[in-house]
Amino acid sequence: MLSHNTIWHAIDALAECHQLSPSGLARRAGLDPTSFNKSKRQSADGRERWPSTESIAKVLDATGATIDQFMALMRPETTRSEPYKGAIPLIGFAQAGAGGFFDDGGFPAGQGWDVVDFPAGAERRAGIYALEIQGDSMLPLYRDGDVLIVDPGAQVRRGDRVVVKTREGEVMAKILIRHTPRNIELLSLNPEHPNRSFEISEIEWIARIIWASQ
């Protein structure tokens, strides 16, 4: 049932799903940071204040949440993570190289992630996330806009398609052709781009690609 309490419950829950405060959620959506403060939910004379449909639309766009997920969060009995059981974090390659989105093991951390539905049939484990291809450096295998599902906890072997992040912030998708205690060698997906070789000390993390939208 749509009510003043349930719609504000959904906004608070959506903020929590994205590890944000209500003011942080408003800021991400391009709204006044105080828009969702509890003090703004009632007027001085005690009348209920409702968020506008425009504000909700901006919040959904900023978080990548669907209207169905938002509606599910209106139910008080719904756990905060339940509407996102079928979703995983999503980030673009350019953002991934900027820093602040991963922990030391290459697992998703921090804020600024969108979400994408997890593909049916793909193997799912904790820590899995999605990267969106940007540019043509991975043609012909991956095109601009394709989404890669990455498992940072999976063991990587020779011949695996992997995503690698260097300590200088470069993020790339390659094929692992050699991995020793001191070095890794990577085969470029695009023949117009050179193969790469790195010392292990130059690598921040390496994660296996387990699925791609093509």
Side-chain angles (χ1 to χ4, degrees), residues 34-209:
T34 65
S35 298
F36 299 150
N37 287 4
K38 294 188 183 300
S39 60
K40 292 290 188 73
R41 300 180 187 185
Q42 286 189 327
S43 63
D45 59 6
R47 288 181 297 171
E48 295 177 343
R49 284 179 172 169
W50 294 58
S52 69
T53 53
E54 181 182 10
S55 295
I56 293 172
K58 287 183 176 181
V59 162
L60 296 183
D61 183 61
T63 60
T66 67
I67 188 63
D68 288 339
Q69 289 171 334
F70 186 77
M71 295 293 288
L73 289 170
M74 290 186 188
R75 301 196 302 268
E77 70 275 10
T78 302
T79 62
R80 298 295 167 98
S81 61
E82 184 177 333
Y84 285 85
K85 285 181 178 178
I88 57 175
L90 168 71
I91 196 172
F93 262 72
Q95 289 175 289
F101 292 96
F102 302 94
D103 64 17
D104 292 340
F107 288 85
Q111 300 175 2
W113 294 83
D114 289 324
V115 294
V116 65
D117 288 338
F118 187 76
E123 180 185 357
R124 179 165 186 173
R125 300 195 309 178
I128 286 175
Y129 58 89
L131 290 171
E132 184 177 1
I133 299 294
Q134 296 167 323
D136 61 1
S137 65
M138 299 167 210
L139 289 172
L141 193 58
Y142 301 133
R143 300 162 299 180
D144 185 65
D146 283 348
V147 173
L148 307 181
I149 306 299
V150 177
D151 185 354
Q155 183 178 357
V156 294
R157 303 179 181 87
R158 182 178 179 179
D160 283 344
R161 296 172 186 174
V162 296
V163 173
V164 176
K165 183 178 181 183
T166 69
R167 296 196 181 278
E168 293 185 351
E170 186 178 4
V171 180
M172 65 199 83
K174 305 284 185 183
I175 298 174
L176 180 66
I177 57 176
R178 191 165 183 262
H179 190 183
T180 73
R182 297 184 62 182
N183 300 278
I184 66 167
E185 295 180 15
L186 304 167
L187 176 68
S188 289
L189 303 170
N190 187 332
E192 296 184 2
H193 289 254
N195 298 337
R196 305 292 296 273
S197 179
F198 297 94
E199 294 183 2
I200 293 298
S201 61
E202 298 178 276
I203 300 300
E204 185 168 327
W205 51 258
I206 180 170
R208 182 157 63 91
I209 298 170

